[in-house]
Amino acid sequence: MPELVVTALLAPSRLTLKLLRAFMWSLVFSAALVAAAVYGCIALTHVMCRPRRGFLGRPRHTPPVCLSDPTLGEHCFLILRSSGLRLHYVSAGRGKGPLMLFLHGFPENWFSWRYQLREFQSRFHVVAVDLRGYGPSDAPKDVDCYTIDLLMADIQDVILGLGYSKCILVAHDWGALLAWNFSIYYPSLVERMVVVSAAPMSVYQDYSLHHIGQFFRSNYVFLFQLPWLPEKLLSMSDFQILKTTLTHRKRGIPQLTPSELEAFLYDFSQPGGLTGPLNYYRNIFRGRWFDPWSGKIPRAAGQLSLCTTTTEPEL
């Protein structure tokens, strides 16, 4: 069939897809503007209630002592083969067993796994990474540097770069979303997988569409689609929104000490420290996040040790 005829036949479908995409983005940015108004009011309220903290977050020049606790492991860097980026990780128990790789969520870092690093280092080589964009790890500024394909390639490079052919993958929140996809596309690299507080993206999307309460609890996802404004709102009143998220009685981290809270806030307080992590969210509506098996949950390398999922927490 002549190419001109094929192009003419496909033109209506292509136009329809473009219109649907434009409609989707109009809805996303409309929701983003509403969320920005709500979080703007919340942030301004924090500023007025705590004027001594200032309008924006104060810079933190010295990391808290708990980040250099030697019982947690050794701080190392790995140059990723695919991208050339430098990733920071904390390692303990090398030579004592299989690789147990930990992937953190937002707003967190490698320090989220401090208890697991201590608990399992006698039987496993435990490694907790700072994902790209977080902490000392390299943080490209371009949003396109945080697509699902690139993030999965980072995990592959970490496993192979540490000298292993497979790992026990333990992940939470954003790290867990990556782990679900990684187990689909790189099953031979995952011996077992432990997932905390995150369903596969397709399940999460379906749940949000059928449970309006979950949709509203995830309103911050729309806020994070905007450029630069989310960074400003999260840093206002010395990062009070993040502090509230991390210390919330029900949805926060239990028994978080002031020093441990600073361990999470330190990296976010550095120049550009929030942009990389928020770029993960800015790729949700742009990239390939849908489960290719139409909602079916695949088993990593033929088996899945444990999966504990909850709904997405509020910010």
Side-chain angles (χ1 to χ4, degrees):
M1 185 177 295
E3 183 177 350
L4 185 61
V5 175
V6 173
T7 302
L9 291 174
L10 292 178
S13 298
R14 290 172 175 169
L15 178 60
T16 300
L17 288 175
K18 288 182 180 180
L19 291 175
L20 287 174
R21 185 171 182 81
F23 178 69
M24 181 202 75
W25 277 110
S26 67
L27 292 178
V28 168
F29 281 109
S30 296
L33 293 175
V34 173
V38 172
Y39 279 95
C41 292
I42 294 173
L44 288 173
T45 301
H46 288 317
V47 171
M48 290 186 290
C49 291
R50 303 171 180 85
R52 292 185 179 180
R53 291 186 178 179
F55 192 75
L56 296 178
R58 64 176 177 82
R60 288 157 170 80
H61 302 294
T62 304
V65 177
C66 59
L67 284 178
S68 56
D69 185 347
T71 66
L72 298 178
E74 179 185 4
H75 291 257
C76 309
F77 287 89
L78 178 69
I79 304 297
L80 302 180
R81 178 180 178 182
S82 300
S83 63
L85 296 179
R86 192 178 72 149
L87 228 60
H88 169 257
Y89 67 94
V90 174
S91 169
R94 180 180 288 275
K96 295 183 178 180
L99 173 64
M100 182 178 286
L101 181 63
F102 297 99
L103 306 178
H104 63 81
F106 175 85
E108 302 171 39
N109 54 30
W110 72 267
F111 190 69
S112 303
W113 304 106
R114 57 198 179 281
Y115 298 112
Q116 290 75 20
L117 288 171
R118 291 193 184 101
E119 176 68 24
F120 295 110
Q121 62 182 259
S122 62
R123 290 170 289 164
F124 300 91
H125 178 197
V126 289
V127 173
V129 301
D130 273 324
L131 296 171
R132 77 160 65 187
Y134 284 83
S137 294
D138 284 347
K141 294 182 179 180
D142 195 335
V143 176
D144 291 333
C145 291
Y146 296 85
T147 64
I148 180 63
D149 294 323
L150 294 177
L151 297 172
M152 287 194 299
D154 288 354
I155 302 172
Q156 178 191 33
D157 288 344
V158 169
I159 297 170
L160 299 180
L162 291 172
Y164 293 87
S165 59
K166 58 184 177 180
C167 75
I168 299 169
L169 194 58
V170 185
H172 169 246
D173 189 69
W174 255 108
L177 293 178
L178 298 177
W180 281 117
N181 279 269
F182 188 79
S183 69
I184 295 171
Y185 294 101
Y186 300 93
S188 63
L189 296 179
V190 182
E191 180 178 359
R192 283 175 171 81
M193 189 168 75
V194 182
V195 169
V196 183
S197 190
M201 181 58 77
S202 60
V203 176
Y204 171 70
Q205 290 168 337
D206 182 68
Y207 185 89
S208 297
L209 291 174
H210 291 86
H211 297 79
I212 193 66
Q214 178 61 47
F215 182 82
F216 283 108
R217 281 194 294 271
S218 303
N219 54 34
Y220 61 89
V221 174
F222 297 100
L223 168 68
F224 292 167
Q225 302 309 307
L226 300 174
W228 68 263
L229 181 60
E231 286 90 329
K232 300 300 181 184
L233 294 178
L234 293 184
S235 64
M236 288 175 68
S237 189
D238 196 32
F239 304 95
Q240 183 57 45
I241 291 179
L242 293 182
K243 289 178 180 177
T244 301
T245 301
L246 291 165
T247 60
H248 193 276
R249 183 173 59 88
K250 292 183 178 180
R251 298 183 297 272
I253 302 175
Q255 301 177 342
L256 193 66
T257 68
S259 178
E260 290 172 335
L261 176 60
E262 285 299 308
F264 292 113
L265 295 177
Y266 172 74
D267 291 322
F268 295 133
S269 72
Q270 306 308 305
L274 280 167
T275 299
L278 293 185
N279 281 342
Y280 283 65
Y281 290 92
R282 289 170 178 142
N283 268 289
I284 286 180
F285 298 101
R286 297 163 51 126
R288 173 169 52 85
W289 270 110
F290 294 94
D291 182 6
W293 279 273
S294 302
K296 295 181 180 179
I297 302 174
R299 293 183 177 270
Q303 55 188 334
L304 188 63
S305 293
L306 171 68
C307 172
T308 303
T309 60
T310 65
T311 54
E312 187 77 6
E314 282 186 79
L315 250 186

